[in-house]
mmCIF file of all heavy atoms in Angstrom:
data_model
loop_
_atom_site.group_PDB
_atom_site.id
_atom_site.type_symbol
_atom_site.label_atom_id
_atom_site.label_comp_id
_atom_site.label_asym_id
_atom_site.label_seq_id
_atom_site.Cartn_x
_atom_site.Cartn_y
_atom_site.Cartn_z
ATOM 1 N N PHE V 178 -7.945 -12.358 0.276
ATOM 2 C CA PHE V 178 -8.012 -13.818 0.280
ATOM 3 C C PHE V 178 -7.939 -14.259 1.741
ATOM 4 O O PHE V 178 -6.906 -14.084 2.396
ATOM 5 C CB PHE V 178 -6.855 -14.421 -0.518
ATOM 6 C CG PHE V 178 -6.894 -14.139 -1.993
ATOM 7 C CD1 PHE V 178 -6.430 -12.926 -2.500
ATOM 8 C CD2 PHE V 178 -7.387 -15.082 -2.889
ATOM 9 C CE1 PHE V 178 -6.462 -12.651 -3.865
ATOM 10 C CE2 PHE V 178 -7.425 -14.822 -4.252
ATOM 11 C CZ PHE V 178 -6.953 -13.607 -4.743
ATOM 12 N N ASP V 179 -9.026 -14.809 2.231
ATOM 13 C CA ASP V 179 -9.107 -15.170 3.645
ATOM 14 C C ASP V 179 -8.574 -16.586 3.852
ATOM 15 O O ASP V 179 -9.255 -17.572 3.582
ATOM 16 C CB ASP V 179 -10.555 -15.064 4.129
ATOM 17 C CG ASP V 179 -10.664 -15.169 5.642
ATOM 18 O OD1 ASP V 179 -9.650 -15.496 6.284
ATOM 19 O OD2 ASP V 179 -11.763 -14.935 6.172
ATOM 20 N N GLY V 180 -7.344 -16.655 4.351
ATOM 21 C CA GLY V 180 -6.729 -17.951 4.611
ATOM 22 C C GLY V 180 -6.818 -18.380 6.063
ATOM 23 O O GLY V 180 -6.127 -19.321 6.468
ATOM 24 N N CYS V 181 -7.663 -17.704 6.848
ATOM 25 C CA CYS V 181 -7.711 -17.963 8.290
ATOM 26 C C CYS V 181 -8.185 -19.373 8.627
ATOM 27 O O CYS V 181 -7.914 -19.882 9.716
ATOM 28 C CB CYS V 181 -8.608 -16.932 8.976
ATOM 29 S SG CYS V 181 -7.941 -15.251 8.877
ATOM 30 N N THR V 182 -8.892 -20.010 7.701
ATOM 31 C CA THR V 182 -9.345 -21.384 7.938
ATOM 32 C C THR V 182 -8.362 -22.424 7.404
ATOM 33 O O THR V 182 -8.690 -23.612 7.324
ATOM 34 C CB THR V 182 -10.727 -21.606 7.300
ATOM 35 O OG1 THR V 182 -10.669 -21.270 5.901
ATOM 36 C CG2 THR V 182 -11.775 -20.755 7.978
ATOM 37 N N GLY V 183 -7.172 -21.980 7.039
ATOM 38 C CA GLY V 183 -6.138 -22.913 6.596
ATOM 39 C C GLY V 183 -6.532 -23.659 5.328
ATOM 40 O O GLY V 183 -6.968 -23.049 4.347
ATOM 41 N N GLN V 184 -6.407 -24.961 5.356
ATOM 42 C CA GLN V 184 -6.668 -25.776 4.171
ATOM 43 C C GLN V 184 -8.135 -25.759 3.746
ATOM 44 O O GLN V 184 -8.474 -26.259 2.669
ATOM 45 C CB GLN V 184 -6.208 -27.219 4.413
ATOM 46 C CG GLN V 184 -4.699 -27.373 4.543
ATOM 47 C CD GLN V 184 -3.951 -26.996 3.275
ATOM 48 O OE1 GLN V 184 -4.475 -27.107 2.166
ATOM 49 N NE2 GLN V 184 -2.707 -26.545 3.424
ATOM 50 N N GLN V 185 -9.001 -25.201 4.567
ATOM 51 C CA GLN V 185 -10.420 -25.077 4.214
ATOM 52 C C GLN V 185 -10.730 -23.743 3.533
ATOM 53 O O GLN V 185 -11.895 -23.451 3.255
ATOM 54 C CB GLN V 185 -11.287 -25.212 5.478
ATOM 55 C CG GLN V 185 -11.068 -26.498 6.248
ATOM 56 C CD GLN V 185 -11.259 -27.736 5.386
ATOM 57 O OE1 GLN V 185 -12.242 -27.850 4.661
ATOM 58 N NE2 GLN V 185 -10.301 -28.650 5.456
ATOM 59 N N ALA V 186 -9.714 -22.945 3.266
ATOM 60 C CA ALA V 186 -9.924 -21.626 2.654
ATOM 61 C C ALA V 186 -10.674 -21.771 1.326
ATOM 62 O O ALA V 186 -10.337 -22.622 0.491
ATOM 63 C CB ALA V 186 -8.587 -20.926 2.437
ATOM 64 N N ALA V 187 -11.684 -20.951 1.131
ATOM 65 C CA ALA V 187 -12.556 -21.075 -0.039
ATOM 66 C C ALA V 187 -11.805 -20.886 -1.347
ATOM 67 O O ALA V 187 -12.104 -21.552 -2.346
ATOM 68 C CB ALA V 187 -13.699 -20.057 0.072
ATOM 69 N N PHE V 188 -10.805 -20.001 -1.383
ATOM 70 C CA PHE V 188 -10.118 -19.727 -2.656
ATOM 71 C C PHE V 188 -9.325 -20.922 -3.161
ATOM 72 O O PHE V 188 -9.003 -21.002 -4.343
ATOM 73 C CB PHE V 188 -9.226 -18.479 -2.551
ATOM 74 C CG PHE V 188 -8.164 -18.532 -1.493
ATOM 75 C CD1 PHE V 188 -6.993 -19.247 -1.697
ATOM 76 C CD2 PHE V 188 -8.318 -17.841 -0.299
ATOM 77 C CE1 PHE V 188 -6.001 -19.278 -0.733
ATOM 78 C CE2 PHE V 188 -7.330 -17.865 0.667
ATOM 79 C CZ PHE V 188 -6.165 -18.598 0.459
ATOM 80 N N LEU V 189 -9.024 -21.873 -2.292
ATOM 81 C CA LEU V 189 -8.286 -23.061 -2.734
ATOM 82 C C LEU V 189 -9.112 -23.916 -3.681
ATOM 83 O O LEU V 189 -8.558 -24.721 -4.447
ATOM 84 C CB LEU V 189 -7.856 -23.895 -1.526
ATOM 85 C CG LEU V 189 -6.788 -23.293 -0.615
ATOM 86 C CD1 LEU V 189 -6.526 -24.209 0.577
ATOM 87 C CD2 LEU V 189 -5.500 -23.029 -1.376
ATOM 88 N N ARG V 190 -10.429 -23.775 -3.647
ATOM 89 C CA ARG V 190 -11.298 -24.602 -4.479
ATOM 90 C C ARG V 190 -11.483 -24.038 -5.884
ATOM 91 O O ARG V 190 -12.074 -24.694 -6.742
ATOM 92 C CB ARG V 190 -12.666 -24.761 -3.805
ATOM 93 C CG ARG V 190 -12.593 -25.476 -2.459
ATOM 94 C CD ARG V 190 -13.971 -25.889 -1.966
ATOM 95 N NE ARG V 190 -14.803 -24.742 -1.613
ATOM 96 C CZ ARG V 190 -14.799 -24.166 -0.417
ATOM 97 N NH1 ARG V 190 -13.997 -24.621 0.545
ATOM 98 N NH2 ARG V 190 -15.592 -23.141 -0.165
ATOM 99 N N LEU V 306 -0.824 -17.016 -1.873
ATOM 100 C CA LEU V 306 -2.001 -17.745 -1.383
ATOM 101 C C LEU V 306 -1.586 -18.888 -0.463
ATOM 102 O O LEU V 306 -2.219 -19.134 0.576
ATOM 103 C CB LEU V 306 -2.803 -18.292 -2.567
ATOM 104 C CG LEU V 306 -3.351 -17.266 -3.569
ATOM 105 C CD1 LEU V 306 -4.277 -17.946 -4.571
ATOM 106 C CD2 LEU V 306 -4.080 -16.143 -2.865
ATOM 107 N N GLN V 307 -0.524 -19.552 -0.835
ATOM 108 C CA GLN V 307 -0.016 -20.652 -0.022
ATOM 109 C C GLN V 307 0.439 -20.157 1.349
ATOM 110 O O GLN V 307 0.187 -20.787 2.377
ATOM 111 C CB GLN V 307 1.152 -21.307 -0.770
ATOM 112 C CG GLN V 307 1.752 -22.539 -0.133
ATOM 113 C CD GLN V 307 2.809 -23.145 -1.043
ATOM 114 O OE1 GLN V 307 2.498 -23.716 -2.080
ATOM 115 N NE2 GLN V 307 4.066 -22.993 -0.673
ATOM 116 N N ALA V 308 1.088 -18.990 1.380
ATOM 117 C CA ALA V 308 1.544 -18.415 2.654
ATOM 118 C C ALA V 308 0.352 -18.061 3.539
ATOM 119 O O ALA V 308 0.383 -18.268 4.760
ATOM 120 C CB ALA V 308 2.410 -17.188 2.399
ATOM 121 N N ALA V 309 -0.706 -17.509 2.940
ATOM 122 C CA ALA V 309 -1.896 -17.158 3.719
ATOM 123 C C ALA V 309 -2.526 -18.389 4.355
ATOM 124 O O ALA V 309 -2.975 -18.353 5.507
ATOM 125 C CB ALA V 309 -2.914 -16.447 2.829
ATOM 126 N N VAL V 310 -2.534 -19.494 3.626
ATOM 127 C CA VAL V 310 -3.094 -20.745 4.148
ATOM 128 C C VAL V 310 -2.211 -21.314 5.252
ATOM 129 O O VAL V 310 -2.693 -21.707 6.322
ATOM 130 C CB VAL V 310 -3.267 -21.760 2.999
ATOM 131 C CG1 VAL V 310 -3.578 -23.159 3.556
ATOM 132 C CG2 VAL V 310 -4.364 -21.306 2.049
ATOM 133 N N GLU V 311 -0.904 -21.359 4.992
ATOM 134 C CA GLU V 311 0.023 -21.936 5.979
ATOM 135 C C GLU V 311 0.042 -21.127 7.270
ATOM 136 O O GLU V 311 0.155 -21.685 8.364
ATOM 137 C CB GLU V 311 1.426 -22.016 5.377
ATOM 138 C CG GLU V 311 1.549 -23.039 4.252
ATOM 139 C CD GLU V 311 2.888 -22.958 3.541
ATOM 140 O OE1 GLU V 311 3.670 -22.009 3.838
ATOM 141 O OE2 GLU V 311 3.150 -23.826 2.673
ATOM 142 N N ARG V 312 -0.084 -19.807 7.165
ATOM 143 C CA ARG V 312 -0.031 -18.932 8.344
ATOM 144 C C ARG V 312 -1.424 -18.658 8.923
ATOM 145 O O ARG V 312 -1.543 -17.983 9.936
ATOM 146 C CB ARG V 312 0.656 -17.618 7.974
ATOM 147 C CG ARG V 312 2.063 -17.830 7.431
ATOM 148 C CD ARG V 312 2.714 -16.535 6.984
ATOM 149 N NE ARG V 312 3.945 -16.808 6.246
ATOM 150 C CZ ARG V 312 4.922 -15.930 6.048
ATOM 151 N NH1 ARG V 312 4.815 -14.711 6.542
ATOM 152 N NH2 ARG V 312 6.007 -16.267 5.364
ATOM 153 N N GLU V 313 -2.454 -19.169 8.214
ATOM 154 C CA GLU V 313 -3.846 -18.981 8.623
ATOM 155 C C GLU V 313 -4.129 -17.500 8.894
ATOM 156 O O GLU V 313 -4.536 -17.085 9.977
ATOM 157 C CB GLU V 313 -4.186 -19.847 9.844
ATOM 158 C CG GLU V 313 -4.082 -21.335 9.539
ATOM 159 C CD GLU V 313 -4.611 -22.205 10.659
ATOM 160 O OE1 GLU V 313 -4.963 -21.673 11.719
ATOM 161 O OE2 GLU V 313 -4.687 -23.439 10.460
ATOM 162 N N CYS V 314 -3.904 -16.705 7.856
ATOM 163 C CA CYS V 314 -4.096 -15.258 7.967
ATOM 164 C C CYS V 314 -4.805 -14.732 6.728
ATOM 165 O O CYS V 314 -5.062 -15.479 5.767
ATOM 166 C CB CYS V 314 -2.757 -14.549 8.171
ATOM 167 S SG CYS V 314 -1.655 -14.598 6.738
ATOM 168 N N LEU V 315 -5.123 -13.469 6.748
ATOM 169 C CA LEU V 315 -5.746 -12.800 5.617
ATOM 170 C C LEU V 315 -4.664 -12.247 4.704
ATOM 171 O O LEU V 315 -3.725 -11.596 5.170
ATOM 172 C CB LEU V 315 -6.630 -11.655 6.118
ATOM 173 C CG LEU V 315 -7.345 -10.839 5.036
ATOM 174 C CD1 LEU V 315 -8.524 -11.607 4.469
ATOM 175 C CD2 LEU V 315 -7.807 -9.498 5.599
#
Side-chain angles (χ1 to χ4, degrees):
F178 294 81
D179 191 351
C181 295
T182 55
Q184 293 297 332
Q185 303 305 312
F188 58 78
L189 291 177
R190 297 193 292 273
L306 300 188
Q307 184 175 289
V310 168
E311 291 172 353
R312 302 177 191 200
E313 296 189 354
C314 68
L315 179 76

